[in-house]
Amino acid sequence: MTAIPAHAFASRSELRAWARRHGATVTVADETCDYIIYQAEIALPGGTRQRCICRETFPPHIALKRRNSTYTVSLSHHEGSAVCHHVENVVPETSSPSMSAPVHLAGLVAAARTEEKHKRRCGASIESLTVVSVARTYGVPDHPTDWTGW
């Protein structure tokens, strides 16, 4: 597999402008408590591809809040006679009072991400995945484990 050359932009608005000019879609490539990496990719003449990225770093107070809201979700599903296990780290967006409970939302987001990443490889789908546990990644003393079983 050959690496795709990447160009880094200083801001997400520059990346969006580049993507709009080339008819590309901006997606989230990676996400942690401290940053989000956005990417857009285009096909160039001759069959090569070009990827452009932008890393958006959160201010320390936002990064700490995201760190405290990070959940580790374990999921499983049956593939034939085998059981396949997956683990996702999720920071559910819970800024709105109308949002579901963060623990439930973390399970839904993890199932969707797992399906997107692994459906071709092992057949994982939202319908076949079972959430085994949802726990705060960086244990908060009052809530070491938020929920088990679904």
Side-chain angles (χ1 to χ4, degrees), residues 71-82:
Y71 293 88
T72 298
V73 182
S74 61
L75 309 109
S76 68
H77 65 99
H78 292 278
E79 185 58 32
S81 61

Side-chain angles (χ1 to χ4, degrees), residues 5 15 20 33 37 43 48 52 59 66 75 83 103-104 106 109 116 135 141 145 150:
L15 176 62
R20 207 175 13 259
C33 304
I37 295 178
T48 60
C52 289
R66 287 175 60 87
L75 309 109
V83 178
V103 175
H104 181 69
V109 171
E116 181 181 31
T145 300
W150 200 348

